Amino acid sequence: MNTVFAAPVFDTTVIFEGKELFKGKSAAENWAKKLGAELDCVTTVEKIGTGWAICGNVDGEDCVWAILGQRLKRINRE
């Protein structure tokens, strides 16, 4: 079974405070739909500085995902 975490992210990104984020909201929304379906949770996108991150709640914990090495990765919000 393929996982969204193994799929390459070839969308345009921006670096903000050391975090690689989606440059466009629509790209982030497309990945948020895939991530939400895989994790069976509601996901949204949020503007962080100059880019967009995916946000959701998994097992009662608020999570934020961005990109690391062309893969989705959970990041700290700080």
Side-chain angles (χ1 to χ4, degrees):
M1 177 179 199
N2 290 333
T3 173
V4 71
F5 295 103
V9 178
F10 290 123
D11 295 288
T12 307
T13 61
V14 295
I15 305 295
F16 179 76
E17 294 182 349
K19 295 173 177 67
E20 188 175 6
L21 305 169
F22 291 94
K23 184 175 183 179
K25 182 178 181 181
S26 63
E29 288 172 334
N30 287 336
W31 281 95
K33 288 177 191 174
K34 295 175 189 177
L35 181 63
E38 181 160 331
L39 297 179
D40 194 28
C41 69
V42 175
T43 55
T44 60
V45 297
E46 182 178 313
K47 182 89 168 174
I48 298 178
T50 58
W52 294 88
I54 301 170
C55 301
N57 187 292
V58 179
D59 296 329
E61 185 176 347
D62 290 332
C63 303
V64 180
W65 292 270
I67 304 163
L68 179 67
Q70 294 183 335
R71 302 289 188 265
L72 285 181
K73 177 163 176 47
R74 195 166 146 190
I75 63 169
N76 293 326
R77 178 166 250 150
E78 306 166 353

